[in-house]
Amino acid sequence: MKFLRKSYYINKYFNNKTIISFINGTIWNLLGALFSRGILFFLTIVAARILEVETFGKFGIIKSTVNTYVLFASFGLGITATKYVSEFFGTDNDKVQKIIFLTKWFAILTSGFTFTLFLFFSGYISSNVLNAPEIKIELQLASMILVIVALNGVYSGVLIGLKKFKSLAINNTIGGFLTFPLQVYFLYEWGLLGAILGLLIYYLFLLLLNIYSTNKQTKDFIKVKYNFSLVKPEFKIIKKFTVPVFLTNLLVTPIMWFGSIFLVNGVNGYSENAIFEGAKQINQLVIFIPFIISQITLPMLSSEKKNDSKFNEIMRLNLFVVGVSTFLIAFVLSIFSSHVMKIYGTFYEEGNWVLITMVFTAVFMGLTNILGKVYASKDKMWLNFKLSILWAVEFIILSHILVKVYDLGAIGLAAAYFGSYTLHFIQSVILLRTSKLLHEN
């Protein structure tokens, strides 16, 4: 060990605060995510085993629908909190307090409004959009998740901005560990309704933990009681940053939802969606590493956005780690694709090529996510929004042709994901190289 520490390269990394901060944040985020996402993953497997194939497909479309409307509820306020808390913490704590107040109350307003609309139109959505009127009650119950997830996004965003990755990891671990038995119990007792109730309890418990941690971490510098009139100067952040974040998310998640709608309305739609949801869960596990790293990337890049060399160093490090790690995981999973899909049940084994396509899609999703943080840290979210418009058009065209026209089912939708994200990554790199974004002072 002493020999290694004397090595020039090892010694360089041991003394590089950026690398140490990156590794420390990654480890804590990784530990928290392993528990929280792992718990949700195992819950999905349990659900696939307990529920009938078509019912599991309905569980998947309910989650997809809720995720779509979460975008309206959260309005991009979580990443706004992360970006500006990290940028001003320690130099202007009064501004940090204003940002926390602004994002929290905006989240209450936007999520409350979205919850009301979703609850009111749940019958129409279940009957006319999802072609499954029998899941109206489950959709109504799931509507409460919108408010909880939106608020949790802000509080977790504040913790990330403060670089309190350890606190966030502990909360994710405790939340997942304590609520998992309840989720499984509800699933056994009440089937699809119990699965939704279990998710609701999990997200609520996680929110309470993050509220407690945020209050604990900010008690030393939050001294003034603010109102909207006092934070009015900060409203420009909403226009400059939050609105394009929201519009970008408004394109991405709902566009994916339309792809799922194409799928469930085809031949054997819900059975095909069950296969796709199984592969998509594995896809989410692969990209959880880029997700964890991107949480660290944004505060690191934001604090160094005026230092070109340090900024570029952080960007290259993140792209390298994400690219290599996701490719290796995807390669291993593709070799054992049939066995991996079989964990959901024997019916899902035929979806091995769906899984292979989705895990390699995760490589480009992860790289594009890091590039998105580059645009965010440089306050160029409107430029990122334009790139997302291109992706949305490409995805709709591909999914319409492959799923609706040629009726290729789950593999067609997976191919649409792969094609659109590959193009999105290429376009993001080209724009980054041809613009002056990385040379701004």
Side-chain angles (χ1 to χ4, degrees):
M1 180 61 69
K2 289 182 179 180
F3 171 77
L4 290 176
R5 285 180 178 272
K6 289 180 180 180
S7 168
Y8 170 77
Y9 293 104
I10 299 297
N11 193 50
K12 176 184 177 181
Y13 285 112
F14 267 100
N15 290 302
N16 191 320
K17 293 182 179 180
T18 300
I19 302 296
I20 293 174
S21 176
F22 172 81
I23 294 174
N24 181 64
T26 300
I27 290 174
W28 280 113
N29 274 350
L30 181 61
L31 291 174
L34 282 174
F35 277 93
S36 61
R37 293 206 170 200
I39 289 295
L40 292 177
F41 174 66
F42 283 116
L43 178 66
T44 302
I45 294 176
V46 173
R49 292 285 186 174
I50 296 174
L51 302 175
E52 295 179 356
V53 172
E54 186 169 322
T55 305
F56 181 65
K58 292 176 182 177
F59 180 46
I61 200 63
I62 289 174
K63 290 192 297 180
S64 179
T65 303
V66 170
N67 288 337
T68 298
Y69 285 89
V70 160
L71 270 293
F72 293 92
S74 60
F75 205 75
L77 293 163
I79 191 174
T80 302
T82 296
K83 153 73 174 170
Y84 290 99
V85 168
S86 63
E87 188 170 336
F88 295 105
F89 178 63
T91 58
D92 191 349
N93 286 343
D94 180 63
K95 193 177 185 70
V96 170
Q97 184 178 350
K98 292 178 180 179
I99 295 298
I100 294 174
F101 174 89
L102 183 66
T103 52
K104 178 182 71 176
W105 280 101
F106 255 93
I108 291 174
L109 293 173
T110 56
S111 63
F113 179 72
T114 308
F115 161 76
T116 303
L117 288 178
F118 190 86
L119 187 66
F120 182 79
F121 288 105
S122 58
Y124 177 84
I125 294 172
S126 61
S127 299
N128 299 89
V129 179
L130 302 180
N131 195 28
E134 66 275 9
I135 64 174
K136 176 183 176 180
I137 300 299
E138 285 80 1
L139 279 176
Q140 291 176 334
L141 180 62
S143 65
M144 290 186 283
I145 295 177
L146 298 174
V147 178
I148 296 171
V149 171
L151 286 172
N152 188 56
V154 170
Y155 282 102
S156 61
V158 172
L159 290 173
I160 294 170
L162 294 172
K163 299 181 181 179
K164 300 300 179 180
F165 305 114
K166 181 178 178 180
S167 296
L168 193 61
I170 291 174
N171 292 346
N172 286 335
T173 302
I174 294 175
F177 183 75
L178 293 183
T179 60
F180 182 70
L182 279 176
Q183 294 181 72
V184 175
Y185 172 76
F186 290 144
L187 185 59
Y188 268 106
E189 288 295 319
W190 299 303
L192 181 59
L193 184 65
I196 302 300
L197 181 60
L199 286 177
L200 178 63
I201 292 175
Y202 166 73
Y203 287 122
L204 177 60
F205 192 66
L206 189 59
L207 170 62
L208 295 176
L209 289 173
N210 285 335
I211 289 175
Y212 171 79
S213 295
T214 301
N215 291 338
K216 182 180 178 180
Q217 299 293 342
T218 59
K219 65 180 181 179
D220 292 334
F221 66 85
I222 291 188
K223 307 293 183 182
V224 181
K225 298 294 183 181
Y226 283 101
N227 55 48
F228 277 106
S229 62
L230 292 176
V231 300
K232 189 175 181 180
E234 312 305 328
F235 276 43
K236 61 184 179 181
I237 291 174
I238 301 296
K239 178 181 178 181
K240 179 177 69 172
F241 190 87
T242 309
V243 171
V245 168
F246 167 69
L247 292 176
T248 299
N249 293 335
L250 189 63
L251 279 172
V252 176
T253 302
I255 289 297
M256 290 181 178
W257 183 62
F258 279 117
S260 297
I261 295 301
F262 289 151
L263 184 60
V264 298
N265 282 286
V267 178
N268 299 321
Y270 279 102
S271 296
E272 287 290 319
N273 192 58
I275 294 175
F276 181 78
E277 282 297 322
K280 189 177 180 181
Q281 286 294 320
I282 307 298
N283 167 278
Q284 294 298 307
L285 284 179
V286 176
I287 65 172
F288 98 95
I289 290 180
F291 173 77
I292 294 305
I293 293 176
S294 69
Q295 287 186 320
I296 306 164
T297 303
L298 182 56
M300 290 180 69
L301 289 174
S302 296
S303 61
E304 300 290 348
K305 70 176 186 178
K306 294 183 179 180
N307 185 336
D308 286 341
S309 60
K310 182 66 67 174
F311 184 93
N312 292 341
E313 176 189 352
I314 295 171
M315 181 189 68
R316 287 193 296 267
L317 173 65
N318 280 271
L319 288 172
F320 175 78
V321 173
V322 167
V324 172
S325 60
T326 52
F327 179 81
L328 291 176
I329 294 172
F331 180 73
V332 172
L333 287 172
S334 67
I335 295 175
F336 301 100
S337 57
S338 296
H339 299 286
V340 173
M341 287 298 287
K342 198 174 181 179
I343 63 177
Y344 293 107
T346 55
F347 169 79
Y348 297 88
E349 189 175 1
E350 65 184 64
N352 64 312
W353 278 104
V354 180
L355 175 63
I356 292 172
T357 306
M358 289 302 291
V359 293
F360 279 106
T361 299
V363 178
F364 294 102
M365 294 175 74
L367 292 172
T368 304
N369 188 26
I370 296 298
L371 292 178
K373 296 302 182 289
V374 173
Y375 292 112
S377 62
K378 290 284 191 176
D379 294 311
K380 298 296 184 181
M381 287 309 297
W382 283 110
L383 184 59
N384 191 59
F385 172 59
K386 294 177 182 178
L387 285 169
S388 297
I389 292 176
L390 285 176
W391 171 85
V393 172
E394 291 155 0
F395 180 81
I396 286 293
I397 292 174
L398 288 172
S399 59
H400 181 270
I401 294 173
L402 297 174
V403 180
K404 193 169 184 179
V405 177
Y406 287 97
D407 199 20
L408 295 179
I411 188 63
L413 186 56
Y417 270 75
F418 181 81
S420 61
Y421 270 103
T422 302
L423 290 172
H424 188 37
F425 171 71
I426 293 172
Q427 291 156 359
S428 298
V429 171
I430 291 174
L431 182 60
L432 196 63
R433 291 178 64 87
T434 56
S435 68
K436 298 180 180 179
L437 187 61
L438 298 181
H439 303 288
E440 293 182 355
N441 294 315

